[in-house]
Amino acid sequence: MLNVVIFGAPGSGKGTQSEFIEKKYGLVHLSTGDILRAEIAKGSEIGKIADGLISRGEFIPDDLMISILNGTIDKYPTSKGFIFDGFPRTVAQAEALDSMLKRRNIRVTLMLNIDVETNELVKRLLNRGKTSGRSDDNLKTIHQRIQVYETKTLPVIQFYDRQNKHHRIKGTGTMDEVFADICAAIDSVYPTKTNV
Ligand code: AMP
């Protein structure tokens, strides 16, 4: 089973690249941001908690996020593997992901860290904000999201470094170029008959 953690700051292109990976490798794409936005659209209890936090660029509490993800994995018992997009965002979430996969006798295969410098992230997110309709794609919240990323999420890199699973991907360049680097990283650790 191929399980990919796609990691990067807001605006690094995780969502776009996850869709490419999903198609090429036949994996299930789990985006915690998309899951939360769907809950907000439904007006569920989770959605009510998430709504204000997302608009302010703050994180949903680890316990809640972990239990949402745990429940979501169970919806795909026959999956060939998962792309975890937007999770883990804290070291506690990274530890929880390892345990929840271990209980199912599977594990993270590799972590792809899409690296984009901050000025470029802000530019991309402001641009996306013109059409995304997202409550968090405005300058104030963008700065907050990047700050939270730097303090809470960056330490997750060391977590996967220690497991030798961290692959840095240059996130600038065309979408195709970034995807080519991603495929090279995946194929180096998970060669399959169709990809060799
Ligand atoms: P995203 O679509 O991945 O940019 O996520 C949008 C927002 O959803 C984030 O800024 C957080 O407020 C919230 N969120 C998504 N994933 C997580 C997570 N793993 N832990 C905490 N909050 C999250």
Side-chain angles (χ1 to χ4, degrees):
M1 212 174 174
L2 170 60
N3 295 304
V4 178
V5 167
I6 190 151
F7 179 95
S12 56
K14 295 190 298 289
T16 309
Q17 294 297 333
S18 293
E19 283 168 25
F20 294 161
I21 301 170
E22 178 182 14
K23 273 209 195 86
K24 175 163 176 180
Y25 294 91
L27 308 179
V28 172
H29 173 201
L30 297 182
S31 154
T32 44
D34 285 351
I35 293 168
L36 294 168
R37 282 183 290 275
E39 293 294 330
I40 294 171
K42 274 195 287 188
S44 69
E45 283 310 309
I46 290 173
K48 282 179 197 146
I49 298 168
D51 199 6
L53 292 170
I54 290 183
S55 319
R56 293 197 296 278
E58 287 164 24
F59 280 175
I60 276 60
D62 281 340
D63 286 358
L64 180 57
M65 205 63 250
I66 290 162
S67 93
I68 294 170
L69 190 78
N70 201 26
T72 309
I73 291 177
D74 286 334
K75 291 184 187 157
Y76 303 94
T78 59
S79 157
K80 283 166 65 182
F82 295 96
I83 306 161
F84 298 101
D85 165 11
F87 189 102
R89 265 179 154 97
T90 63
V91 172
Q93 291 182 12
E95 284 164 353
L97 181 62
D98 270 5
S99 330
M100 70 178 98
L101 295 185
K102 200 169 173 195
R103 283 200 296 275
R104 295 165 172 90
N105 277 321
I106 53 176
R107 61 203 185 100
V108 170
T109 314
L110 81 170
M111 181 271 230
L112 300 165
N113 171 15
I114 310 191
D115 198 15
V116 175
E117 61 145 53
T118 309
N119 287 346
E120 173 69 14
L121 295 170
V122 175
K123 208 165 79 189
R124 286 186 188 182
L125 289 167
L126 282 175
N127 202 34
R128 185 173 80 182
K130 291 179 194 157
T131 52
S132 69
R134 279 178 54 158
S135 64
D136 54 353
D137 283 344
N138 59 76
L139 196 57
K140 186 167 177 237
T141 309
I142 289 169
H143 281 305
Q144 171 67 14
R145 287 159 73 196
I146 291 173
Q147 205 203 326
V148 173
Y149 169 79
E150 286 171 353
T151 52
K152 295 194 177 166
T153 308
L154 274 181
V156 172
I157 295 178
Q158 276 103 60
F159 180 89
Y160 289 107
D161 251 338
R162 280 197 292 275
Q163 299 187 1
N164 287 322
K165 290 180 180 174
H166 169 217
H167 295 249
R168 184 186 166 275
I169 305 286
K170 186 167 157 279
T172 42
T174 66
M175 284 190 284
D176 287 349
E177 283 164 354
V178 175
F179 187 53
D181 287 351
I182 285 179
C183 293
I186 294 177
D187 298 344
S188 72
V189 295
Y190 196 81
T192 62
K193 284 198 184 81
T194 47
N195 293 317
V196 285

